[in-house]
Structures are given as structure tokens and as C-alpha cells.
Amino acid sequence: MLECNDICFKYHGSEWLLDNVNFSLNPGESVGLQGKSGLGKTTLARILSGYIKPAKGEVLCEGKKLPDKGFLPVQLIHQHPELSVNPRWKIKKTICEVEGQRPDKEFIDKLAINESWLERYPHELSGGELQRICVARILNTQVRYLICDEISGMLDAVTQAQIWDIVIDFSKRHDVGLIVISHDSYLLNRLCSREISI
């Protein structure tokens, strides 16, 4: 399982944002994380996926600390896809960044990714198009736990439905644990078996 043990974190000069946060996520389980803005949900997501280190506590993935190098088994899909791509890379390089792998053509087709997008740079795609790219490149068999941080908040209803159908199907087929961060209670009730709080 993915374990969050006594996680504490604060930004320089501020009060504790996260104070002794504890929870666990089982393979194949979908849990929701809801709360007001500024409570540390995105910060926790970044800690769980190895982007930042906690001030105290530890994250364990299947009993081991997250590696400092290489592909991490815990992956994060950002609310703002432009934050997770290199603006100087063409999309064809971005989408194959994970160990040089090309995403499964099934995901490319289901996400309605146009081949012409691969020759463009991130700023030449819309937010919805770029989010599709970010989802496609993350869904590979090395992922054990996936954190979705408000990934559909800025998308139209059709794109939202397509992305969530694919993410949930991938999670079920590959026994991937899923954390869904959202302000949308209806979405969390529909996708998750339980909620965690921080």
C-alpha cells in the first residue's frame, strides 16, 4: 500500500500547513481528498509523488521509501498541465518522456489525441488538449499509485467524462491506487469508495 506517516510540512516563515497527516491507500482503491483552498491538498500531492520532501514524517510505497532517481511508482497529474511539461520540448518528446515509451495507442485513440499535435509545442495546444497529453503519458504499467489533482476542473463536460472514464478503467485494469483531489462532492461520490481528510 501507499502509506503517509506523520507528514508535517510548512513553507518558510509560515505556520504548519500539514501537521501529522496519516492515511493509507490500497492497490486498486479510489479515495477522495476534499477541502477548501489553502489547506495543503496540492502540497500533500507533491509530497506523495516525490516533488518535495516533508519536514517530518515519511511516505512509503509498498514498504519502501520513494527512490530519489528514476521513474516513481507514484505519479501526479496536475490541475494545470503546463506545469508538468517542458515548454521547450515538442509534444512527441514529452509524451515519450517516461523511459522512452510511447503511450498505448488505445489511450491515444480514446483521448482523441490528434497526430498533428505531436509536432507542436505545449503553448500551441489548448488546456484541454495538453491535459489529454499529460494523462496519456502517465498511464503506463510502471505506475502503482496515481494522484489526480483537480485534473478536470477547467475542462468542458465531454472532455471531463472522457478523461475520467479512461483513468478509472486504467485503475481497475491494472490495480492502481487512485487519489482524487476535487472540490466537487458529486464527482468524489461517484468515483471514490471513501474520503480522507487532512
Side-chain angles (χ1 to χ4, degrees), residues 16 20 26 28 30-31 34 40 56 65 72 87 98 100 105 113 115-117 125 131 138 155 159 166 180 184-185 191:
W16 289 104
N20 290 316
N26 295 307
S30 296
V31 302
Q34 186 181 28
K56 300 177 184 178
K65 291 186 177 182
L72 296 183
V98 179
K105 189 176 186 305
I113 293 173
E115 287 288 328
S116 66
W117 298 354
L125 300 181
Q131 190 67 292
I138 289 297
L155 306 177
T159 303
I166 291 168
V180 181
D184 187 341
S185 298
L191 299 182

Side-chain angles (χ1 to χ4, degrees), residues 22 37 53 94 116 197-198:
N22 292 275
S37 297
K53 301 291 186 182
T94 294
S116 66
S197 59
I198 57 175

Side-chain angles (χ1 to χ4, degrees), residues 9-18 40 42-44 46 52:
F9 184 87
K10 66 177 179 178
Y11 291 99
H12 182 70
S14 66
E15 298 181 354
W16 289 104
L17 180 62
L18 302 173
T42 294
T43 298
L44 179 60
R46 291 173 62 81
I52 55 178

Side-chain angles (χ1 to χ4, degrees), residues 71-84:
F71 184 82
L72 296 183
V74 184
Q75 288 290 310
L76 170 64
I77 303 178
H78 295 267
Q79 176 182 9
H80 303 286
E82 66 276 6
L83 297 178
S84 60

Side-chain angles (χ1 to χ4, degrees), residues 33 43-44 56 62-63 69 72-73 77 87 97 107 139 153 173:
L33 179 57
T43 298
L44 179 60
K56 300 177 184 178
E62 297 172 357
K69 297 181 179 180
L72 296 183
I77 303 178
E97 182 180 10
F107 294 135
L139 301 185
R173 282 200 288 163

Side-chain angles (χ1 to χ4, degrees), residues 151-166:
I151 66 170
S152 60
M154 298 185 298
L155 306 177
D156 63 81
V158 173
T159 303
Q160 285 186 34
Q162 289 175 334
I163 285 180
W164 282 119
D165 283 348
I166 291 168

Side-chain angles (χ1 to χ4, degrees), residues 55-191:
K56 300 177 184 178
E58 63 181 0
V59 177
L60 298 178
C61 181
E62 297 172 357
K64 300 178 181 179
K65 291 186 177 182
L66 296 177
D68 292 327
K69 297 181 179 180
F71 184 82
L72 296 183
V74 184
Q75 288 290 310
L76 170 64
I77 303 178
H78 295 267
Q79 176 182 9
H80 303 286
E82 66 276 6
L83 297 178
S84 60
V85 298
N86 189 327
R88 294 172 292 184
W89 286 3
K90 285 189 176 181
I91 295 301
K92 65 181 178 182
K93 184 175 182 180
T94 294
I95 205 169
C96 299
E97 182 180 10
V98 179
E99 300 294 327
Q101 295 182 6
R102 180 77 178 266
D104 194 312
K105 189 176 186 305
E106 177 185 3
F107 294 135
I108 297 291
D109 293 340
K110 284 185 175 180
L111 287 163
I113 293 173
N114 193 307
E115 287 288 328
S116 66
W117 298 354
L118 303 182
E119 296 300 325
R120 300 179 187 176
Y121 289 94
H123 72 272
E124 297 178 303
L125 300 181
S126 70
E129 291 169 346
L130 191 56
Q131 190 67 292
R132 292 169 188 258
I133 295 294
C134 290
V135 171
R137 72 173 181 160
I138 289 297
L139 301 185
N140 69 81
T141 54
Q142 297 181 68
V143 175
R144 302 309 309 141
Y145 301 92
L146 184 61
I147 305 170
C148 299
D149 185 8
E150 295 280 4
I151 66 170
S152 60
M154 298 185 298
L155 306 177
D156 63 81
V158 173
T159 303
Q160 285 186 34
Q162 289 175 334
I163 285 180
W164 282 119
D165 283 348
I166 291 168
V167 168
I168 294 299
D169 178 65
F170 174 82
S171 172
K172 290 179 178 178
R173 282 200 288 163
H174 298 283
D175 207 28
V176 170
L178 186 66
I179 296 177
V180 181
I181 301 174
S182 178
H183 292 96
D184 187 341
S185 298
Y186 172 78
L187 178 70
L188 295 181
N189 289 335
R190 185 166 64 89
L191 299 182

